[in-house]
Amino acid sequence: MQKTFISIVKALTIIYFITAVLEVIAEYFMAKSFIFVLKPFVTMLLLVLYCTKSEQPSKLFVTVLSLSLVTNLLFIPNKPIYLYYALIVFTIHRVLELYLIFSLQKVKDYIPLIIATAPFMLIFFYLFMETQDIPEESYMLLVIQNILISLFAGVALSSYVMDDNKQNSILLISALLFVMLQFSVFVEKFYLANEFQQLFRPLAMALNALAFFSLYKYVISAEKSTNNN
């Protein structure tokens, strides 16, 4: 029975990465019909993988993944109105994601968190202030996004520095991948909207798949740690 379960998890993991690679290729060739199918399928596979692997799946994490699925679909058309809706959904997603991490990490000392968050905040807001063509309706949403991703990275970095264990290492990897993802999406949307799109979209998809897989591994690790205590 245990061997069958392990085989199912391995099979789902392999299918997840194969599908992610196919999605990256579809993004490179801008094959919209394949993108519309593969992009949501990648997230759905991770949902199935998580619900299979977790002893007691978190409704909050399932919601986080579901909102990610919606965001990915809204990013496909690459039009300002869809980008605006995607930012709204993604902001809700990021708030819930951050709430999930704080509930799993149990931060006791906020000084290291503030110190670790500051550099990320500085980088993202410098980039934000140097950007001229941000739509007025998206302005506040992007400010919130910068704060949330900086906090996410700050929690991960401070937790890793304070306690270098497997769980915190996975969280740091996930956070850094999310930071690179947000940076690449921001550059593509506001700096290189008509240039290098063939490069940035596949890169963003690859980072997205790896970041969420790392987050899934972190949640599983955190759940096991909680159950063992």
Side-chain angles (χ1 to χ4, degrees):
M1 189 68 177
Q2 183 68 18
K3 287 184 179 180
T4 303
F5 172 76
I6 293 171
S7 298
I8 291 171
V9 171
K10 283 184 178 178
L12 285 170
T13 303
I14 291 168
I15 295 170
Y16 173 81
F17 280 106
I18 290 173
T19 308
V21 170
L22 291 174
E23 166 60 10
V24 170
I25 295 169
E27 291 283 1
Y28 181 79
F29 290 104
M30 298 182 183
K32 286 289 179 73
S33 55
F34 286 100
I35 292 170
F36 270 107
V37 174
L38 292 170
K39 186 165 273 191
F41 191 55
V42 170
T43 308
M44 285 189 280
L45 276 171
L46 194 59
L47 263 168
V48 173
L49 183 57
Y50 169 67
C51 291
T52 303
K53 180 78 172 176
S54 177
E55 294 179 6
Q56 190 174 352
S58 163
K59 291 180 181 178
L60 183 56
F61 188 51
V62 169
T63 303
V64 166
L65 290 177
S66 300
L67 289 173
S68 170
L69 190 153
V70 175
T71 304
N72 285 336
L73 287 173
L74 289 170
F75 269 128
I76 293 173
N78 201 27
K79 295 180 180 179
I81 186 64
Y82 288 103
L83 175 60
Y84 175 67
Y85 291 139
L87 283 173
I88 292 174
V89 177
F90 192 66
T91 299
I92 299 169
H93 153 86
R94 187 68 83 195
V95 169
L96 293 178
E97 185 179 61
L98 202 56
Y99 177 78
L100 172 69
I101 290 165
F102 270 105
S103 67
L104 293 172
Q105 282 303 105
K106 307 296 183 186
V107 178
K108 296 178 181 179
D109 188 352
Y110 286 90
I111 300 299
L113 170 61
I114 294 169
I115 294 171
T117 301
F120 295 102
M121 198 90 77
L122 184 65
I123 292 167
F124 277 110
F125 274 100
Y126 171 77
L127 186 65
F128 179 78
M129 296 306 294
E130 288 294 313
T131 307
Q132 302 296 322
D133 301 322
I134 297 175
E136 188 176 338
E137 64 273 13
S138 301
Y139 200 89
M140 188 52 65
L141 286 172
L142 287 170
V143 168
I144 295 169
Q145 281 293 325
N146 286 340
I147 294 170
L148 293 174
I149 189 62
S150 299
L151 268 174
F152 185 5
V155 172
L157 181 57
S158 60
S159 298
Y160 175 78
V161 170
M162 299 298 288
D163 186 8
D164 177 11
N165 56 33
K166 181 182 177 181
Q167 179 180 315
N168 291 339
S169 297
I170 298 171
L171 179 60
L172 180 61
I173 292 168
S174 178
L176 293 177
L177 287 167
F178 275 118
V179 166
M180 289 189 287
L181 172 61
Q182 181 149 326
F183 179 80
S184 66
V185 170
F186 190 87
V187 169
E188 181 212 338
K189 297 297 180 185
F190 298 109
Y191 282 90
L192 303 171
N194 300 311
E195 304 171 53
F196 305 109
Q197 192 179 66
Q198 199 173 14
L199 174 63
F200 273 92
R201 283 227 157 183
L203 175 62
M205 186 58 220
L207 290 171
N208 185 73
L210 291 170
F212 274 102
F213 186 80
S214 299
L215 184 63
Y216 143 75
K217 295 290 285 184
Y218 160 74
V219 172
I220 291 294
S221 179
E223 287 177 350
K224 286 182 179 178
S225 177
T226 301
N227 292 334
N228 290 334
N229 290 336

